[in-house]
């Protein structure tokens, strides 16, 4: 039952030579072979490359090297460039794109000895909340395969929940790590904007995008984030600040921790969801934390603000896909304009086209001030309100999603209803704050997430608070039936 | 706040997206609902707030030293291009 062990336990077995990374890698590859047809969580599986990386890790272990991640398998979201391996971003546009270099995240985790098994399915260009916009077909939720796993990093989340690997990477622009983590019963952290390099991570909305980690616990996520985080001169928004010891911080007691409860998060909350949050808060109070009400009056504007800012940046970022230098090209273009229009029209799916057009509209002459500039002002107000709240409390706690996983196909025809799935997660992206989701119970036999939001660069505190909760509860140890 | 078919056609043209005629009506509906949704911002009370420039207060875009750091990888990069000749990207004739 290697797939049930925490990565600390696996690292011990590897260090003491009771297990090799090749054996561990084969164990997870066998699980993928068995369960992947039911889930469609992966776009690319590369067993040969994985076994070569595992042999290299075993050689490092044999030389006496050690490390918390050396020889541990992982799955990368297919948004991260991987040298020599197809990097599709879930799009027909990049179906034939073989990345010519590694993303910093990929490079750093490989240097730490992690073994990439494959690339995870995702909403096309990370635009979606259900993993249904992928060119490679929808991902299914291992807790109920008639349900979505959330998105956009739904393949990474489903793969972690189904124990395809102990760790997967993801990206979070409006909730794309936390929402799927919640809907699949695992732990996912989005760090502070600028904490992890965006180099080699295909851009959606550059002022919001941030890479993070999926794991089964905060204790497993901490050493992975440690290895990913830190200054990278190749990303102009990477922050040049020391990375604290996340693993050491896990053990800090929570006595005296001041937890803020956002009034705006609880106003229309489903009573079953509210009961789960209340039960989690009772655990925190029993550990010596205090709770108090705080308010961010402008928070209800976060979803419309996001759906101006993110499409605007998307329309600009995705202009690079022109059918000339890489990606899909239409057949027999009659002139250059036809080449651009048809290559993009054919290469992008409907949701990506909707967002590009929304962005084009809000940035166009006559609408720029009314939409884009206004949204950036509201974004500043929301950020200032978060800052004021963190002058009073150490951490904000609330729900991650309004509901558990919904049925495949239930919301695909109504973009605005789909967008409202991210109502509790978007605020942290607008303000650039670190935030985590972890399992806190079930509604109708489907997992629900508890969200922890911290001030800028407080990843230690967020992981610490999550770990202390997980020491006193066992929601994070529940596995979907059939995948145990 | 609904968009017209002509507006959507113009936006698609600006965005360099070929949209088949039979799909246009669907985009008119969905884009109109999105525009209506974000129009809520027009009622926002924001006082004298300035547009946000960076999520982290006081941080500015870093500049790098003006030094050559990249070496020539054009063959590897152009392996992804749909059409290349003699190291150049090939597109339909632009100048008659």
């Amino acid at each position: 039952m290697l797939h049930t062990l925490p990565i600390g336990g696996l690292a011990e077995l590897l260090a003491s030579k009771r297990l090799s990374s090749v054996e561990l890698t084969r164990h997870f590859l066998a699980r993928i072979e068995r369960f992947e047809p039911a889930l469609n969580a992966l776009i690319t599986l590369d067993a040969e490359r994985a076994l070569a990386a595992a042999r290299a890790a075993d050689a490092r272990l044999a030389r006496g090297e050690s490390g918390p991640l050396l020889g541990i398998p992982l799955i990368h979201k297919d948004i991260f460039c991987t040298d020599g391996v197809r990097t599709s971003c879930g799009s027909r546009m990049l179906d034939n794109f073989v990345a010519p270099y590694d993303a910093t995240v990929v490079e750093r985790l490989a240097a730490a000895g992690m073994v990439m098994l494959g690339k995870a399915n995702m909403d096309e260009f990370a635009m979606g909340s259900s993993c249904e916009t992928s060119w490679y077909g929808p991902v299914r939720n291992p807790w109920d395969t008639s349900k979505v796993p959330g998105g956009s990093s739904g393949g990474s989340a489903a793969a972690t929940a189904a124990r395809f690997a102990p760790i997967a990477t993801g990206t979070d622009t409006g909730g794309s790590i936390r929402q799927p983590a919640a809907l699949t019963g695992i732990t996912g952290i989005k760090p502070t904007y600028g904490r992890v390099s965006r180099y080699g991570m295909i851009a959606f909305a550059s002022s919001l995008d941030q890479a993070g980690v999926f794991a089964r616990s905060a204790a497993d996520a901490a050493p992975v984030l440690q290895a990913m985080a830190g200054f990278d001169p190749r990303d102009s928004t990477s922050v040049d600040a020391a990375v604290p010891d996340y693993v050491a911080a896990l053990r800090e007691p929570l006595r005296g921790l001041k937890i803020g409860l956002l009034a705006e998060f609880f106003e229309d909350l489903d009573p079953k969801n509210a009961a789960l949050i209340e039960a989690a808060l009772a655990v925190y109070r029993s550990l010596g934390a205090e709770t108090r009400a705080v308010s961010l009056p402008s928070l209800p504007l976060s979803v419309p603000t996001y759906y101006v800012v993110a499409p605007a940046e998307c329309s600009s970022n995705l202009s690079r896909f022109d059918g000339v230098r890489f990606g899909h090209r239409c057949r027999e273009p009659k002139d250059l304009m036809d080449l651009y229009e048809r290559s993009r029209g054919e290469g992008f799916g409907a949701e990506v086209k909707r967002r590009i057009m929304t962005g084009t509209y809000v940035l166009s002459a006559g609408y720029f001030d009314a939409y884009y500039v206004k949204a950036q002002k509201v974004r500043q107000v929301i950020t200032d309100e978060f800052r004021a709240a963190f002058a009073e409390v150490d951490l904000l706690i609330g729900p991650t999603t309004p509901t558990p996983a919904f049925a495949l196909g239930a919301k695909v025809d109504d973009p605005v209803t789909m967008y409202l799935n991210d109502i509790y997660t978007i605020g942290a992206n607008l303000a650039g704050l670190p935030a985590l989701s972890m399992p806190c119970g079930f509604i109708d036999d489907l997992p629900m997430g508890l969200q922890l939001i911290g001030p800028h660069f407080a990843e230690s505190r967020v992981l610490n608070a999550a770990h202390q909760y997980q020491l006193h509860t066992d929601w994070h140890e529940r596995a979907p039936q059939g995948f145990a | 706040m609904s968009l017209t078919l002509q507006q959507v056609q113009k936006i698609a043209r600006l965005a360099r997206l070929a949209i088949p005629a039979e799909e246009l009506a669907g985009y008119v509906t969905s884009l109109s609902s999105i525009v209506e949704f974000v129009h809520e911002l027009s009622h926002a009370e924001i006082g004298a707030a300035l547009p946000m420039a960076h999520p982290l207060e006081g941080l500015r875009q870093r500049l790098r030293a003006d030094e050559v750091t990249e070496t020539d990888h054009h063959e590897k990069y152009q392996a992804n291009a749909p059409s290349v000749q003699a190291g150049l990207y090939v597109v339909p004739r632009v100048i008659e």
Side-chain angles (χ1 to χ4, degrees), chain B residues 19-81:
Chain B
I19 308 284
E22 67 272 19
E23 291 177 20
L24 270 171
Y27 284 105
V28 172
T29 308
S30 59
L31 290 172
S32 293
S33 72
I34 294 167
V35 168
E36 190 177 335
F37 176 65
V38 300
H39 195 68
E40 194 186 330
L41 292 177
S42 64
H43 312 298
E45 303 273 340
I46 46 164
L50 292 173
M52 184 153 148
H54 197 293
L56 304 172
E57 207 171 15
L59 275 191
R60 289 170 172 275
Q61 195 90 334
R62 211 160 14 81
L63 297 176
R64 64 170 177 83
D66 186 15
E67 289 162 2
V68 176
T69 55
E70 291 293 318
T71 50
D72 180 13
H73 298 292
H74 82 269
E75 280 182 19
K76 191 173 186 187
Y77 293 171
Q78 288 190 327
N80 276 305

Side-chain angles (χ1 to χ4, degrees), chain A residues 83 98 235 329 341 344 376, chain B residues 15 18 52 62 76 80 90:
Chain A
D83 195 354
V98 177
D235 169 3
R329 173 180 285 196
E341 292 190 337
R344 290 164 60 78
Q376 289 289 47
Chain B
M52 184 153 148
R62 211 160 14 81
K76 191 173 186 187
N80 276 305
V90 179

Side-chain angles (χ1 to χ4, degrees), chain A residues 44-57:
Chain A
T44 301
L45 178 68
D46 196 337
E48 240 171 74
R49 182 180 288 258
L51 288 167
R55 278 190 290 274

Side-chain angles (χ1 to χ4, degrees), chain A residues 433-452:
Chain A
L433 301 166
L436 172 147
S437 178
M438 63 177 167
C440 67
F442 291 82
I443 293 180
D444 303 331
D445 296 325
L446 292 165
M448 291 294 290
L450 183 76
Q451 186 179 203
L452 280 56

Side-chain angles (χ1 to χ4, degrees), chain A residues 254-316:
Chain A
L254 299 187
R255 184 150 301 283
L257 183 79
K258 293 194 283 292
I259 294 173
L261 308 176
L262 283 178
E264 292 74 16
F265 274 17
F266 292 89
E267 258 164 27
D268 301 310
L269 197 61
D270 174 75
K272 289 186 203 164
N273 199 349
L276 296 178
I277 308 295
E278 193 42 56
L281 292 172
V283 173
Y284 277 109
R285 288 189 198 101
S286 76
L287 297 173
E290 308 159 15
T291 56
R292 65 177 73 169
V294 287
S295 174
L296 271 66
S298 301
L299 198 62
L301 291 169
S302 62
V303 186
T305 300
Y306 177 88
Y307 279 97
V308 171
V309 174
E313 294 185 19
C314 136
S315 73
S316 166

